[in-house]
Structure formats: C-alpha cells, structure tokens
Amino acid sequence: MGHQLPTSDQDFVGSLIPQRFPFVMVHELMDYSDNHLVSGFVIKEDNIFIQDNTFQASGLIEHQAQSVALHTGYKYFLLGKDAPTGYIGAIKSFEADILPKTGDRLESEVTILHEMMGVTLVDIVTKVNGGIIARSQMKTAVK
C-alpha cells in the first residue's frame, strides 16, 4: 500500500477522487479514520473559483465535498478497490464566516455522522490558520 499519512503526494491524493485538474480542490490527506478525515488545500491564483483574489463560497462547498470524496477514496484504497464516483446529494446547511484569499491554506475536518446504503451524512469544518471560516452538513452519495 505504501502511503503513510499525512501525505501531500498530489498524484496519490488525486487518484483517490474522481475530479481532475482544473477541478481538484484537495491537495493533502492529513489524517484518516473510519469516521474522520482531515484534508488540506492551498488556494492558487489560477483556481477556477477565484474572483478578485477571493475563493468563492462555491469553491468552499466543492472543497468540502471533495474532502468527503477523499475519505471514501482512501477507504476504498485501504480495501484494495477503485474509488467509486459520488456526488452531493443534499446540502443541509452551509455557513461561511470568511471567504479565503489566494495563498490561504484550507484545512477541513470531515466527521461521518451516518452512513447507509451508499449515502453518507457528514459535518465539515474548514479552517484557515487555525480559525474556523466555514461549516456545513451535507449528504453525499456514491453511484
């Protein structure tokens, strides 16, 4: 299996999610357990969600959803299987206190609340420099 956490090996992290450049919003897998994951992402100025040097709320939502996909992808990796394709089933809540800027490093903590029949309910908290900037609760589903 060969990969230890944390890892910022972009080829490895990219292999765990279905998205491809320029739509990749996770660069680092910092911590993982059955019901928890911490991801990292550095916002670059060429990001498709940048407007006036600010990462838009839609980009934060996509980063959070890809963090959930990263959890699923790493779980499948540990089982020796290919990661399934998934999608956001519903966003129960989303709150952004601050929109991050180019150069900021996002750190998102995913907590799996419930998982049944391919549908996962999660809480996600995103931080910049240790301060919480966004929270959400969403359901994701795998094909």
Side-chain angles (χ1 to χ4, degrees):
M1 298 217 177
H3 278 83
Q4 294 190 358
L5 301 184
T7 182
S8 57
D9 177 339
Q10 291 185 19
D11 290 333
F12 176 66
V13 172
S15 75
L16 301 174
I17 61 172
Q19 293 80 8
R20 296 294 170 249
F21 180 82
F23 211 68
V24 174
M25 302 297 143
V26 291
H27 289 148
E28 186 175 12
L29 174 53
M30 299 164 52
D31 190 36
Y32 170 89
S33 71
D34 287 343
N35 62 354
H36 180 259
L37 176 125
V38 179
S39 69
F41 179 65
V42 176
I43 302 167
K44 299 191 176 170
E45 56 189 44
D46 63 348
N47 187 284
I48 60 174
F49 290 108
I50 289 291
Q51 183 176 5
D52 299 325
N53 204 37
T54 302
F55 194 58
Q56 300 301 297
S58 54
L60 277 172
I61 291 169
E62 184 59 32
H63 162 72
Q64 290 181 336
Q66 286 186 27
S67 296
V68 178
L70 188 58
H71 183 274
T72 303
Y74 193 68
K75 178 171 75 174
Y76 275 70
F77 167 78
L78 293 174
L79 295 170
K81 298 179 180 180
D82 291 335
T85 300
Y87 57 93
I88 298 172
I91 298 173
K92 185 174 180 180
S93 63
F94 175 77
E95 213 175 285
D97 299 324
I98 298 169
L99 293 178
K101 303 289 185 193
T102 301
D104 283 343
R105 182 181 175 281
L106 304 179
E107 184 174 303
S108 286
E109 183 172 0
V110 175
T111 303
I112 309 296
L113 301 175
H114 187 70
E115 194 169 13
M116 179 186 287
M117 297 172 51
V119 177
T120 305
L121 177 64
V122 297
D123 271 336
I124 309 161
V125 175
T126 300
K127 299 177 182 178
V128 171
N129 296 324
I132 296 173
I133 65 160
R135 296 172 186 80
S136 71
Q137 189 173 87
M138 63 177 70
K139 287 182 183 177
T140 61
V142 294
K143 277 188 176 180

